[in-house]
Amino acid sequence: MKLNLNYKDMSVLSYIHRRELPSVPGIYYEDYEMANYPNLSKLTSYSNDRIYLLVSRFVPYEEDQSDCPGYNYVVYGATSKVFINPYIILNNRPGFDEFRRSYLKLGFTNCERSPFAKELLRLGEFNLL
């Protein structure tokens, strides 16, 4: 599976180059439904909230200029693992709300400072460099 992420800042590119990264979208139940995600019954209890899932381990392999408005760079990558069965729902995990407010909006910048970062690495079985 190929994925791409858009970034505004070049400094992010040097940090993420060739590392496994967590892909954690925060979207609504209807969006998962429109994308035909399997096992949606596991997500219905969150149907009124933004649902945060650990979807995959994203492995960047190429960067380029972005043509997406508001972003300067695009990073292309593949997945080394996709978490669908079972889903890894992050919403109610201890420490996630603080992690979400502090780091998801900033693109994981300095997220190693968060105690939840260790939990995210454990959940995703990430290989550390």
Side-chain angles (χ1 to χ4, degrees), residues 58-76:
F58 178 76
V59 184
Y61 59 77
E62 182 181 355
E63 319 70 46
D64 202 353
Q65 298 291 316
S66 176
D67 58 4
C68 184
Y71 296 96
N72 297 323
Y73 306 96
V74 62
V75 177
Y76 299 99

Side-chain angles (χ1 to χ4, degrees), residues 75-88:
V75 177
Y76 299 99
T79 57
S80 63
K81 184 169 183 174
V82 176
F83 305 98
I84 290 180
N85 193 12
Y87 287 121
I88 298 179

Side-chain angles (χ1 to χ4, degrees), residues 35-116:
N36 293 318
Y37 263 65
N39 304 319
L40 283 175
S41 62
K42 297 185 192 274
L43 302 178
T44 55
S45 62
Y46 302 96
S47 61
N48 295 323
D49 302 317
R50 189 175 289 261
I51 304 169
Y52 293 91
L53 299 178
L54 176 57
V55 171
S56 69
R57 290 190 308 235
F58 178 76
V59 184
Y61 59 77
E62 182 181 355
E63 319 70 46
D64 202 353
Q65 298 291 316
S66 176
D67 58 4
C68 184
Y71 296 96
N72 297 323
Y73 306 96
V74 62
V75 177
Y76 299 99
T79 57
S80 63
K81 184 169 183 174
V82 176
F83 305 98
I84 290 180
N85 193 12
Y87 287 121
I88 298 179
I89 302 169
L90 301 175
N91 290 51
N92 291 331
R93 295 201 181 253
F96 176 72
D97 195 47
E98 173 62 31
F99 181 83
R100 178 188 58 78
R101 284 187 308 234
S102 299
Y103 301 103
L104 286 185
K105 293 181 181 188
L106 300 174
F108 293 102
T109 304
N110 297 321
C111 71
E112 66 275 3
R113 296 178 185 166
S114 167
F116 188 78

Side-chain angles (χ1 to χ4, degrees), residues 5-22:
L5 303 171
N6 289 291
Y7 289 95
K8 295 178 184 179
D9 189 351
M10 180 63 148
S11 65
V12 173
L13 298 181
S14 62
Y15 173 74
I16 67 172
H17 193 66
R18 308 282 186 264
R19 298 181 185 192
E20 288 185 324
L21 302 171

